[in-house]
């Protein structure tokens, strides 16, 4: 592949070395398990967590004479994903045998796609906050079989093999080397996962191994020639990806600054030490001896097949984000947070529809998400429904309750449930906007604190003390704006 550098070096991402600045270059190969009932070339179930070797057909166990049959749903999922990545869909693609020996790969080869993948170039946009939006190129997406699992910790001198995962469909999604710092790499994994989840083509559960990343890392002088890369295999969390990249870039810089050279090698990240270590060098790299799989015809479909899938795609995160910014007046950042998963976006929309979108975003992001995170509750299990939170937002908008009381109300709804408007009514939480009542409290406080009055008249900033007193006396129910105005008038400020 010819590599084009699409990025302008960003000094914020430079790494200081003893001999000057360095820049990372990163490219990711993400393996995403396809969401499908059955495997890529057999009818066995893909269900996770089954007893070992429960989901294994003769095809998955590679019995002689068994023939693979392509699962059309997996093809649909790959095309959907390609469409979601705004990628070139290849109407003709080829399955190849990638030959290697692994105890958990009974065929002795993996059926994959090499020269002619089902999906070609696409792109993923990252919202990098202050650094703005970054476009990352996708090189290709191809379909391949997953391997089984060897189990080494069940017997003192035997290994076992579980072939449940053998033959499950994977999409390998390869980025261009367009990423320039660990935050971008983390954002890339998160964004790709979001897109896959919106599409329903991969569940994105990295802890269960249904999504994992091989991370290619090299360093260079800012904007200079690309350096030799190392590939860190099978990273299974976003946090580990960040740690592995930081460690690896530093390791390479230290070697280069000592006058050494980088060996192109495959490395493993150890979460216990936060370090990467060599797994195999390029010299030992496999010669995969790829060749077209004689058991499978080229995969071909027509435009109608693609169009039918395109028609049924859900609204994707980028489009949803643009719509939220446009319809609800949100900042790009808030919109990104809200569309990060579909459930959050749906919740937000239910709160924001027909209301002040910004106020709704504040409440959803700060109060609700803050609380859900703290208690480790998913948005779909939120004790405060979108309808209830909408009710709270309405009470604020109407001026019935202050922001402070709204937080108390949120707490009540979270723990006890109920209709917010009814709670406010029953418990007398309504904001006092009746100026007569506020004036009465103000008068009492002014009369009782002549010293403070004198001080405030010298230094108008001290009005804050009076506001505090009035709020306290009204149990937080006085309308703060009215309180301010009345105080200023009465104190002559
Ligand atoms: P291979 O098939 O040997 O893994 P590829 O050319 O397909 O090689 O690249 C694999 C990954 O490595 C891609 O994600 C690509 O973006 C990335 N990559 C290529 N060159 C570099 C480099 N110099 N530094 C970092 N990543 C790179
Ligand atoms: Mg590779």
């Amino acid at each position: 592949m010819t590599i084009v550098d699409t990025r302008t070096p960003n000094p914020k991402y430079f790494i200081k070395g003893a001999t000057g600045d360095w820049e990372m270059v990163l490219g990711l190969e993400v393996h995403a398990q396809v969401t499908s009932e059955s495997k890529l070339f057999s009818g066995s179930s893909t269900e996770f967590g089954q007893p070992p070797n429960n989901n294994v057909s003769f095809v998955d166990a590679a019995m002689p004479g068994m023939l693979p049959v392509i699962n059309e749903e997996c093809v649909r999922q790959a095309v959907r994903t390609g469409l979601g990545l705004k990628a070139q869909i290849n109407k003709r693609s080829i399955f190849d045998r990638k030959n290697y020996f692994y105890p958990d790969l009974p065929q002795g080869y993996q059926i994959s796609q090499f020269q002619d993948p089902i999906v070609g170039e696409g792109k993923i946009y990252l919202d990098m906050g202050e650094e703005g939006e970054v476009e990352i190129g996708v090189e290709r997406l191809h379909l391949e079989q997953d391997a089984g699992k060897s189990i080494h910790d069940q017997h003192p001198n035997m290994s076992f093999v579980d072939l449940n995962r053998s033959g499950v469909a994977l999409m390998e999604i390869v980025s261009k080397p367009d990423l320039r710092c660990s935050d971008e790499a983390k954002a890339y994994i998160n964004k790709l996962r979001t897109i896959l989840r919106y599409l329903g083509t991969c569940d994105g559960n990295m802890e269960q191994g249904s999504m994992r990343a091989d991370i290619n890392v090299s360093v260079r002088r800012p904007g200079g020639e690309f350096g030799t890369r190392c590939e860190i295999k099978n990273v299974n969390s976003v946090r580990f990806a960040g740690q592995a990249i930081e460690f690896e870039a530093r390791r390479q810089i230290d070697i280069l600054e000592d006058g050494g050279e980088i060996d192109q090698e495959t490395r493993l990240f150890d979460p216990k030490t936060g370090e990467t270590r060599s797994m195999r060098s390029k010299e030992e790299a496999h010669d995969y001896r790829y060749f077209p799989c004689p058991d499978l015809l080229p995969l071909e479909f027509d435009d109608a097949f693609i169009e039918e899938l395109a028609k049924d795609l859900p609204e994707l995160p980028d489009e949803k984000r643009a719509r939220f910014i446009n319809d609800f007046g949100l900042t790009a950042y808030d919109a990104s947070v809200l569309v990060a998963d579909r459930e959050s976006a749906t919740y937000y929309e239910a709160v924001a529809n027909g209301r002040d979108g910004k106020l709704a975003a504040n409440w959803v992001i700060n109060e609700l998400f803050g609380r859900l995170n703290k208690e480790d509750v998913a948005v779909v299990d939120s004790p405060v429904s979108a309808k209830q939170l909408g009710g709270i937002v309405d009470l604020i908008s109407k001026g019935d309750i202050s922001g402070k009381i709204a937080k108390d109300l949120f707490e009540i709804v979270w723990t006890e449930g109920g209709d917010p408007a009814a709670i406010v009514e029953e418990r007398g939480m309504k904001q006092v906007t009746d100026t007569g009542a506020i004036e009465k409290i103000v008068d009492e406080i002014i009369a009782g604190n002549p010293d403070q009055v004198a001080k405030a008249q010298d230094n108008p900033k001290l009005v804050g003390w009076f506001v505090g007193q009035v709020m306290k006396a009204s149990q937080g129910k006085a309308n703060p704006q009215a309180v301010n105005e009345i105080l200023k008038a009465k104190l002559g400020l």
Side-chain angles (χ1 to χ4, degrees), residues 7 10-15 22 128 131 180-181 184:
R7 306 286 306 273
N10 181 343
K12 277 205 186 148
Y13 299 156
F14 293 174
I15 308 168
W22 296 88
M128 295 309 297
E131 301 303 317
R180 294 291 177 269
C181 66
E184 286 186 353

Side-chain angles (χ1 to χ4, degrees), residues 1 3 25-29 174-177 216-218 226-227 229 231:
M1 105 194 200
I3 300 180
V25 172
L26 311 167
L28 267 59
E29 298 164 84
V174 183
S175 87
K176 300 199 181 246
N216 293 271
V217 181
S218 67
F226 283 112
R229 69 189 150 102
E231 179 174 351

